[in-house]
Amino acid sequence: MLNMRGLRLKFMLFLYNWSSRLYAELFKGYKAAWGIKKEEFLEYQEGSLGYALGMFYKEKGFDVMPKLENHDVFHLITETGTEISDEIAMQYLLFGNGKLSLYLLAMIFIGTFVFPEHSAHYWSSYRKGKAMHKFHHIEFKTFLNESLSTLQLSLDKKQLKLQVNPIQHGK
């Protein structure tokens, strides 16, 4: 028999899985999928964002969700986990970073209501996003050959300005 926490978790997982697919189709329809299979990310040089993304998919057992690849990069560059409370915290982080969307607001509202015991984690994530260089709008496909640690440092310390539309890097 599921306890109350188990029911809340099951509800949020269902809602997250359903809504992320719907979000990709309805609100990201204009955006092209990267067209890279999860195994292909492992062909990038070790230490690169591309390779780290391949390891992320491999270690987590995740598949690439077309049009939502940037979201997985957000997990890597912000070192945010993938548990449901972390997914809600990610929305807080992105909100702190300046992102605003109906999906984000709905996840924050529903997630906070369903898992209020993680509020300290959510607010900490919000402050972290606020302290970071704006990145929520950057298409990270162009940075797959770049060092993950360099990208993290540039966003965390606001030391380097990333080009939003850099020249396409090749594999």
Side-chain angles (χ1 to χ4, degrees):
M1 181 178 265
L2 285 175
N3 61 17
M4 194 57 160
R5 176 159 170 61
L7 285 173
R8 293 184 299 155
L9 180 61
K10 195 170 185 168
F11 170 72
M12 281 304 294
L13 287 172
F14 165 78
L15 188 61
Y16 179 77
N17 289 327
W18 171 79
S19 65
S20 60
R21 287 185 190 93
L22 183 67
Y23 179 72
E25 289 307 313
L26 294 180
F27 297 104
K28 296 287 185 177
Y30 64 90
K31 184 178 176 186
W34 288 7
I36 303 173
K37 296 179 182 151
K38 68 180 185 176
E39 299 81 18
E40 294 175 316
F41 285 108
L42 293 172
E43 296 172 14
Y44 283 87
Q45 183 177 349
E46 246 182 273
S48 70
L49 175 60
Y51 184 81
L53 196 52
M55 289 305 294
F56 173 82
Y57 291 131
K58 182 178 179 178
E59 291 170 358
K60 300 285 184 183
F62 293 164
D63 288 320
V64 176
M65 290 182 67
K67 301 182 183 181
L68 297 178
E69 297 92 344
N70 249 15
H71 179 83
D72 295 331
V73 171
F74 294 165
H75 281 284
L76 292 172
I77 63 174
T78 65
E79 298 178 319
T80 302
T82 57
E83 297 296 321
I84 194 65
S85 62
D86 297 323
E87 292 292 349
I88 297 162
M90 175 67 78
Q91 299 305 315
Y92 271 88
L93 188 147
L94 293 170
F95 184 57
N97 196 249
K99 183 174 182 177
L100 190 59
S101 71
L102 182 58
Y103 180 82
L104 177 142
L105 293 173
M107 285 301 289
I108 286 175
F109 178 76
I110 295 168
T112 303
F113 179 75
V114 174
F115 287 108
E117 66 271 22
H118 296 287
S119 292
H121 179 44
Y122 302 154
W123 288 112
S124 173
S125 295
Y126 171 81
R127 287 189 299 276
K128 181 178 180 178
K130 204 137 175 77
M132 296 176 81
H133 176 70
K134 298 286 183 238
F135 69 89
H136 68 87
H137 62 290
I138 297 173
E139 182 61 47
F140 280 96
K141 181 180 182 182
T142 60
F143 292 95
L144 292 174
N145 282 311
E146 303 300 324
S147 161
L148 173 60
S149 59
T150 300
L151 288 170
Q152 289 170 320
L153 181 63
S154 69
L155 294 173
D156 275 344
K157 305 298 182 195
K158 297 186 182 181
Q159 293 175 349
L160 302 173
K161 298 286 186 191
L162 297 177
Q163 296 178 0
V164 177
N165 293 316
I167 297 172
Q168 182 73 23
H169 294 263
K171 230 189 329 182

